Amino acid sequence: MKRALLLMAISLSHKGELSDSFVIVPRSIHVGILGLPTECEARRRRTTPFVCLQSTNADAFDFSSKTGWNQFYEKRARPSDDQLVFEPYEWHSSLDHDVVFQLVERGGSILFVGCGSSAMPLELHDRHQGETHITCLDYSPSCIEQLAQSWGSTRSNMSFVCGDATRLETVPAIANGDERTDAIIDKGLIDALMCGEGWNGDVERLLTSAAKQLKTNGLYILASYKLSSATKDFLLDVGKEVGLEWTFDLEDEDNTRVSLSKAVMMHN
């Protein structure tokens, strides 16, 4: 009952908060994916199957679609010397990466879930001078191929894995590792999942799966659009079930767009 009330509150608390520059349409009207809108704050705010448009003239982009993201990365890639060279795309570009880096220690292992083509993993690897093992995981084969081709030959302590972050136990490169992970970094993945039908189940599976991979006192670091109180309550509720203790709004208060949160793995 409590979970149902939280989900209802998340839905109701965001009604009417869409910017005038955005519209939402039923997924059944989704006609194609020709590019990523520069911003869609409403995408994390629904419990019904909607996709988001930047304007009435834009093509719909389903942020929860595996096919859609793969097409997005394929279109951003450009050939160079028989390789695919990707153009980095920073989700939450207003977030200072240094604020995230201050939360993780040098050495150990870091897993980026839904890494996309963000330069954050590369920056963290170089900041730690290769002493931290960094795994980039995304379910887009095109994305992972581009990252591996661009970074793999020069960064020996980075791994690139194609897999489903909500089911890490089914990803051999993750599940068969000798040790648990020191930190998992989520820069926009929960945002994307919250665009999908049944998003609450996906987010719960993500956090459950992540908790199984984290060491005791390990961190789940979440960079997301600003979280409503109802969404925070939902994450707290799931966290209690899987052993993650949340602290929200760690970032600069002047950043009105992005929320940086962390959850500590209390037991495993």
Side-chain angles (χ1 to χ4, degrees):
M1 176 62 72
K2 178 183 177 182
R3 180 69 54 79
L5 291 174
L6 283 175
L7 295 177
M8 183 180 296
I10 293 171
S11 178
L12 294 176
S13 66
H14 295 298
K15 282 188 176 181
E17 293 186 13
L18 290 175
S19 165
D20 291 340
S21 61
F22 297 95
V23 296
I24 52 177
V25 295
R27 179 168 297 155
S28 59
I29 308 178
H30 185 190
V31 294
I33 303 166
L34 299 180
L36 183 64
T38 57
E39 177 186 355
C40 187
E41 298 202 20
R43 60 194 183 75
R44 67 178 177 81
R45 301 175 186 265
R46 65 193 116 289
T47 56
T48 52
F50 289 106
V51 291
C52 173
L53 299 180
Q54 187 180 9
S55 71
T56 55
N57 295 321
D59 291 303
F61 188 94
D62 182 355
F63 289 86
S64 65
S65 166
K66 178 178 180 179
T67 300
W69 280 112
N70 208 46
Q71 291 178 2
F72 169 72
Y73 292 119
E74 287 176 352
K75 289 178 180 179
R76 291 181 64 84
R78 51 185 174 84
S80 175
D81 299 328
D82 298 324
Q83 290 187 338
L84 290 176
V85 179
F86 78 100
E87 296 180 18
Y89 181 85
E90 290 299 338
W91 200 269
H92 300 315
S93 59
S94 65
L95 176 68
D96 184 351
H97 289 184
D98 285 343
V99 178
V100 178
F101 297 162
Q102 292 171 9
L103 298 176
V104 296
E105 296 182 0
R106 184 187 296 257
S109 60
I110 308 292
L111 171 62
F112 283 82
V113 288
C115 62
S117 57
S118 169
M120 182 184 282
L122 181 67
E123 293 174 9
L124 181 58
H125 174 277
D126 292 351
R127 174 74 63 88
H128 288 182
Q129 298 180 314
E131 296 177 14
T132 301
H133 181 75
I134 294 176
T135 300
C136 299
L137 180 135
D138 201 282
Y139 69 2
S140 166
S142 179
C143 173
I144 292 301
E145 179 184 3
Q146 292 172 45
L147 293 180
Q149 289 186 2
S150 298
W151 299 343
S153 62
T154 57
R155 272 76 176 184
S156 60
N157 210 17
M158 292 186 76
S159 301
F160 309 93
V161 180
C162 186
D164 185 349
T166 68
R167 294 177 172 82
L168 292 174
E169 65 278 2
T170 68
V171 183
I174 304 297
N176 297 339
D178 295 332
E179 296 184 0
R180 295 178 185 267
T181 302
D182 292 286
I184 294 175
I185 298 179
D186 171 348
K187 186 167 177 270
L189 177 57
I190 281 183
D191 288 327
L193 291 177
M194 292 184 75
C195 285
E197 217 173 334
W199 63 265
N200 52 303
D202 288 336
V203 173
E204 186 169 358
R205 281 188 291 272
L206 171 65
L207 296 178
T208 299
S209 184
K212 294 177 181 177
Q213 299 302 321
L214 283 170
K215 295 179 180 179
T216 299
N217 295 322
L219 295 179
Y220 189 98
I221 300 170
L222 171 63
S224 66
Y225 283 110
K226 288 294 185 179
L227 301 172
S228 69
S229 58
T231 302
K232 292 176 182 178
D233 287 343
F234 172 75
L235 293 176
L236 287 169
D237 191 44
V238 174
K240 289 179 181 179
E241 294 180 1
V242 301
L244 290 169
E245 187 171 289
W246 283 98
T247 303
F248 299 109
D249 302 322
L250 303 173
E251 83 293 350
D252 186 348
E253 293 182 357
D254 292 335
N255 190 334
T256 60
R257 304 179 51 74
V258 180
S259 175
L260 183 65
S261 307
K262 70 175 182 180
V264 180
M265 187 66 219
M266 304 307 294
H267 61 79
N268 52 28

